[in-house]
Amino acid sequence: MSINKRISRILISIMILSVMAGCGNNVQSDEAEAKKEPTTTGIAHQAHWSYEGETSPEHWAELDKLFTTCSTGTAQSPINILHEKVKDDESLSPIKVEYTPSQVAIINNGHTIQVNLKNQDNPIIIEGKTYTLQQFHFHLPSEHEVDSKHADMELHFVHQSEEGTLAVLSVLITKGTENAELNKLWSVLPAEESKQETPIESAFDLNKLLPADLHSFRYQGSLTTPPCSEGVQWIVLENPVQWSEDQIGKFEAIFPHDNRPVQTLGDREVDSDN
Ligand SMILES: [Zn+2]
């Protein structure tokens, strides 16, 4: 790959991560500006979008030319995962997650609560390819449906490979027992949108947000927020985790619903590992 091509791919990824961080967040786009890359101009002026009314998901493509894929895309996320249509793929082994306790910071970006990683030490390995965790965030109710049913919430761990491709590890959340580790984040849950992230003082153990069993559904999809870019590897864990009613309620009080409706599967296939 030429240096120009490589720089351009990296900048596209920066744009995606920045966009996922919210409409008004231009911290990472400033970084792109510093490299004088014309394709990244306009990020900070991206149209406002939401989950309600005139800027809700059915209108995303009309809000900004950059969002066209939200309506014209053919491999969009989230989807309804139907067990009867999932293909058991003997060749797929469970993903490897090598998360370690990490320094993180939390922010309300106006679309969700997002937790940013302060290091690049949290890889996952999918069929031999390494992706590094950049941030994670939450949706209520879940974006993916399983057999046409939503879970109470969904957590998205967003990873990037060295080449700039994205892989999202999704964990479904159901009402049940309290997750003690989550309280490190929820004790400083930012109720108001801000450009200022709040650092979490103690190291956060990411593994405690995962189920013990990492068997998963896999498919090729997109970002579930504008610009709905495709080429995203999705790994939806089959087993949910539990949070208490109070923990889910605290998120719901800030974001009563922040899920994009399910999209057409089309000719895509959903695989499961062995
Ligand atoms: Zn998400």
Side-chain angles (χ1 to χ4, degrees), residues 32-195:
E33 287 292 324
K35 288 171 192 165
K36 294 191 169 60
E37 173 60 44
T39 59
T40 59
T41 53
I43 294 168
H45 313 290
Q46 196 197 61
H48 171 73
W49 57 270
S50 75
Y51 294 97
E52 294 281 0
E54 289 176 2
T55 53
S56 64
E58 61 266 36
H59 299 294
W60 285 352
E62 305 154 18
L63 303 174
D64 194 316
K65 273 186 204 150
L66 291 170
F67 301 171
T68 306
T69 311
C70 299
S71 71
T72 60
T74 54
Q76 291 287 293
S77 295
I79 57 164
N80 179 16
I81 298 167
L82 295 169
H83 266 108
E84 58 174 28
K85 291 197 175 163
V86 172
K87 192 182 147 223
D88 270 326
D89 188 334
E90 299 281 329
S91 72
L92 291 179
S93 45
I95 60 158
K96 283 189 197 130
V97 178
E98 297 179 355
Y99 291 164
T100 49
S102 292
Q103 292 303 316
V104 297
I106 191 167
I107 189 166
N108 174 335
N109 64 26
H111 302 299
T112 187
I113 298 295
Q114 181 168 310
V115 181
N116 295 321
L117 271 290
K118 299 284 117 188
N119 60 35
Q120 295 287 313
D121 300 333
N122 295 289
I124 59 171
I125 298 117
I126 309 165
E127 306 308 307
K129 193 170 171 66
T130 300
Y131 297 84
T132 306
L133 183 62
Q134 305 299 314
Q135 50 105 330
F136 59 95
H137 61 267
F138 309 89
H139 298 275
L140 184 151
S142 69
E143 295 208 293
H144 286 90
E145 294 178 17
V146 178
D147 293 334
S148 307
K149 286 193 190 76
H150 286 283
D152 293 309
M153 283 184 69
E154 182 168 341
L155 193 172
H156 289 160
F157 290 102
V158 182
H159 307 76
Q160 191 175 35
S161 72
E162 253 193 358
E163 297 82 37
T165 54
L166 296 178
V168 184
L169 174 61
S170 159
V171 182
L172 300 171
I173 299 160
T174 58
K175 231 167 261 176
T177 53
E178 183 181 77
N179 183 309
E181 190 70 7
L182 182 72
N183 292 335
K184 286 185 187 172
L185 305 176
W186 259 217
S187 62
V188 290
L189 198 60
E192 302 294 331
E193 180 178 355
S194 169
K195 288 188 164 64

